[in-house]
Amino acid sequence: RPMQIEAAISPNERAAILGYVLTTSGGSLETTSFVKFLHWWALRHHTSQGLQDYQEEYQFVPGGGAGDGESVVCLSCPVQRVVGAGMGLIRRTTSSYTAARVVCTIPLNVPQDVSFIPPLDETRAAAIQTGHVNGCTKLYAEVNNKELRSWDGINYPYNNLIYANAVGATPAGYPTLVCFGPAENGLQPEEDVEETLQQVRNPNPEVINVRRLVFHNWVKDPYTRGAWFYPPPGLLDEALGKLRQRHGNVVFASADWPRGWRGFIDGAIEDGTRAAMVCSKEL
């Protein structure tokens, strides 16, 4: 679509559009679904401000976790196998658990490392094998210049981190910038911190003085294998319904395939509520 309107826009407008598109999808122009943008555009009431308002509506509260006192949280325990026939069964390296229902919240890019018994249907298995395309680099930079507290900018195509904006300040008043770079730029902050610092400073080296960087490589994290959900063209045309279907006594719930805000906490709330209602009615 950007190429179709290229003759009608200025170079700066083109850079702003492509920078925003690639920041949103975390992929390349070839792997970015235009239909997904239309879906977001409708959800945001057909305004750019609508996206800004809605995407920040729900956020994690520090210290939030499993609800009641009977919950047991087991971290760093990768699931090896999920059995959906009869009683739901989850197996990992040293233990197994049984339940009347299992709610599987594994992100789309991860289940290829997990075996399901019986096997998943062909459409869902193919969607998992394809995965979503968002390999975005995302990091936070605390900066010295307090005038940057309301700053944002796009530096496309000249920088690996192509978009950044201020998202608040520390208790001491130092602004915090959140910076994004698409997968095709291949920036790995933990492998080259000095290069990452330079990429943060590049949009305005005389003004941006970094005090601290905070980042996590979601692409290499075995529990995510990518950033927020963004599909390639055609992925959800056939697979959306299948991804939302139960598999025996396994009920799937994820921010990757709700009807509404896919890739957002809003979507996780929506699909988690749907799964909870299924279990509540049946149990």
Side-chain angles (χ1 to χ4, degrees), residues 1 5 18 57 67-68 81 92 114 151 192 200 234 249 271 278 283:
R1 178 57 178 165
I5 63 173
L18 296 186
E57 184 169 357
D68 58 54
R81 184 166 48 171
R92 59 185 177 88
V114 180
W151 178 85
D192 194 337
V200 174
N249 285 331
D271 218 45
V278 169
L283 301 177

Side-chain angles (χ1 to χ4, degrees), residues 83-178:
V83 180
M87 299 292 282
L89 173 65
I90 302 176
R91 287 189 177 275
R92 59 185 177 88
T93 305
T94 58
S95 302
S96 63
Y97 303 90
T98 60
R101 298 292 183 273
V102 172
V103 178
C104 180
T105 63
I106 301 174
L108 180 66
N109 284 6
V110 176
Q112 55 188 287
D113 297 332
V114 180
S115 63
F116 287 82
I117 302 174
L120 300 175
D121 61 87
E122 292 184 2
T123 300
R124 181 163 18 201
I128 291 171
Q129 190 64 37
T130 300
H132 71 76
V133 302
N134 193 343
C136 173
T137 298
K138 179 181 180 181
L139 58 88
Y140 291 86
E142 179 185 329
V143 296
N144 274 330
N145 191 334
K146 296 184 179 181
E147 293 182 358
L148 293 174
R149 62 185 179 275
S150 59
W151 178 85
D152 68 84
I154 290 177
N155 192 7
Y156 175 85
Y158 307 109
N159 206 40
N160 286 341
L161 295 172
I162 60 177
Y163 177 74
N165 69 288
V167 292
T170 66
Y174 294 108
T176 299
L177 307 181
V178 58

